[in-house]
Amino acid sequence: MSRKKLNIGLFGFGCVGFGLYEVLQKTPGLKANIKNICVKDKDKKREIGAENFTFNKEDIFNDAEINVIVELIDDADAAYEIVTRALKSGKAVVSANKKMIAEHFEELLALQREYKVPLLYEAACCASMPIIRNLEEYYDNDLLESIQGIVNGSTNYILTKTFKDNLSYEDALKEAQEKGFAESNPILDTGGFDAKYKLLILLAHSFGYIAKPDDLFNIGINNIGGLELKYAREKGLKIKLVAQAFKNLDGSISAFVLPKFVDSEDRLFNVDDVFNGVITKTSFADEQFFVGKGAGAHPTASAVLSDISALSYDYQYEY
Ligand code: HSE
């Protein structure tokens, strides 16, 4: 199959943006070149030369050779502006912004249909674990009954460090931030919001059910205290932040994010540190279990890379 040459306009050059730059240097077989990088902060010292950057997004939108926009910025509202404008101008988009996607799912779907351009976002859900592509392709004819798992790397890292290494909650969070796992507003991680955005994406690709963030409830790990940790230790349990969605007998769907005690029989028990783990249950395959790094520069960049590669074959989700 022939592959399209891709000229990328990249928005954002933080942890994942730089990760993608490095990953692309190491994959010369893929004909994808970052033509221009748009960043906000003029004074920030960067790892590569100033000639690669612009501060004016028009330089990317007006460049007819740029056929893919990769959006890796932190701000969901600014990301929404970039992504909608890119789709309307016929440029394919790769985004890692779960909050933006979860908040505007319906509209983004409609734009893709109207302008016949793909928007891929494998990196928005469980970073390196290719869960969206699996849900889209593998289960096309096998009915999903439930999906559940650990979908936030930072909180799993914090829970692991407080539990195993007796680190304080504050120190564990600080480490998650230093390693580039946490959101710049870490309450999104610790309050279970990031997990909820990912669950909304999973819901759409598992059950074709599109809901809004306010439709689902989420409880994070920020209220877990010494008592719960003590109880878990005494009983040989662990605490995990679990996102779950399942079909009820009447066909309706329930979905929520909650911290859970898990025992050593549970597949999620050994999913520690920054790893994510997702269990699907379907009519024919029965249970399947996916594990992979859920945050960090290169694991997240690997998912962005897989989307860029998929675009070179004109891949698009079918929903
Ligand atoms: N803050 C997110 C997490 C980053 O910890 O899972 C990856 O989506």
Side-chain angles (χ1 to χ4, degrees):
M1 206 193 289
S2 73
R3 302 181 79 169
K4 251 187 6 205
K5 183 171 184 307
L6 303 176
N7 287 310
I8 297 168
L10 174 61
F11 283 88
F13 203 67
C15 170
V16 181
F18 181 53
L20 177 67
Y21 178 85
E22 288 185 315
V23 159
L24 279 171
Q25 306 295 308
K26 293 177 183 163
T27 45
L30 179 64
K31 291 198 183 65
N33 130 66
I34 299 181
K35 192 157 180 230
N36 211 339
I37 306 172
C38 184
V39 287
K40 216 170 45 185
D41 187 350
K42 290 193 172 151
D43 302 321
K44 191 168 167 187
K45 214 174 146 355
R46 304 188 189 273
E47 293 85 349
I48 58 171
E51 68 282 2
N52 295 287
F53 296 100
T54 176
F55 303 101
N56 182 0
K57 57 183 183 303
E58 302 308 320
D59 289 345
I60 290 187
F61 284 117
N62 293 336
D63 186 333
E65 281 185 7
I66 289 182
N67 49 2
V68 178
I69 301 287
V70 177
E71 177 281 304
L72 299 175
I73 64 172
D74 203 31
D75 174 340
D77 295 334
Y80 169 74
E81 298 294 324
I82 292 165
V83 169
T84 50
R85 187 168 166 196
L87 293 173
K88 286 178 187 167
S89 60
K91 295 187 194 290
V93 180
V94 175
S95 170
N97 204 309
K98 47 265 158 134
K99 183 169 192 284
M100 185 273 297
I101 292 161
E103 283 173 347
H104 301 283
F105 227 127
E106 201 86 65
E107 186 192 344
L108 294 170
L109 272 181
L111 284 176
Q112 289 180 79
R113 288 198 189 103
E114 186 179 347
Y115 293 93
K116 298 187 174 42
V117 272
L119 161 64
L120 302 183
Y121 40 84
E122 188 66 70
C125 196
C126 303
S128 70
M129 187 201 297
I131 190 70
I132 302 178
R133 212 78 60 71
N134 262 294
L135 291 170
E136 274 302 303
E137 295 177 13
Y138 186 85
Y139 302 119
D140 203 21
N141 296 293
D142 192 354
L143 290 181
L144 261 148
E145 292 166 14
S146 67
I147 180 160
Q148 60 155 318
I150 297 166
V151 298
N152 180 273
S154 303
T155 48
N156 205 33
Y157 184 84
I158 295 168
L159 289 170
T160 305
K161 291 287 159 185
T162 48
F163 199 77
K164 267 205 215 157
D165 304 343
N166 270 320
L167 227 65
S168 71
Y169 178 86
E170 289 71 26
D171 286 347
L173 171 59
K174 199 160 161 271
E175 274 192 12
Q177 287 174 306
E178 282 163 4
K179 287 175 184 284
F181 301 156
E183 301 299 303
S184 52
N185 177 4
I187 188 72
L188 293 176
D189 296 296
T190 56
F193 297 95
D194 179 84
K196 178 164 76 172
Y197 302 141
K198 290 165 178 165
L199 181 59
L200 285 160
I201 295 174
L202 292 176
L203 263 180
H205 290 277
S206 308
F207 301 112
Y209 182 75
I210 294 173
K212 291 264 186 200
D214 283 347
D215 297 335
L216 308 190
F217 82 82
N218 54 292
I219 296 183
I221 64 160
N222 39 356
N223 290 317
I224 295 174
L227 268 184
E228 287 86 2
L229 289 177
K230 186 167 170 273
Y231 178 82
R233 280 201 189 98
E234 279 169 11
K235 302 276 178 204
L237 306 171
K238 286 184 184 171
I239 303 174
K240 298 288 179 192
L241 184 65
V242 180
Q244 46 190 315
F246 49 88
K247 257 198 186 139
N248 298 304
L249 286 177
D250 65 359
S252 62
I253 290 161
S254 298
F256 42 82
V257 176
L258 276 179
K260 248 178 92 175
F261 289 113
V262 295
D263 64 28
S264 58
E265 297 290 298
D266 194 309
R267 292 187 207 283
L268 299 179
F269 188 83
N270 289 319
V271 179
D272 280 338
D273 296 304
V274 74
F275 281 86
N276 285 182
V278 169
I279 304 161
T280 54
K281 184 157 182 4
T282 71
S283 306
F284 305 135
D286 201 9
E287 267 196 14
Q288 282 163 309
F289 180 38
F290 302 87
V291 190
K293 282 196 172 163
H298 281 182
T300 312
S302 91
V304 176
L305 181 73
S306 86
D307 279 348
I308 292 171
S309 174
L311 285 178
S312 73
Y313 296 112
D314 281 325
Y315 180 87
Q316 117 176 58
Y317 302 138
E318 291 195 348
Y319 299 97

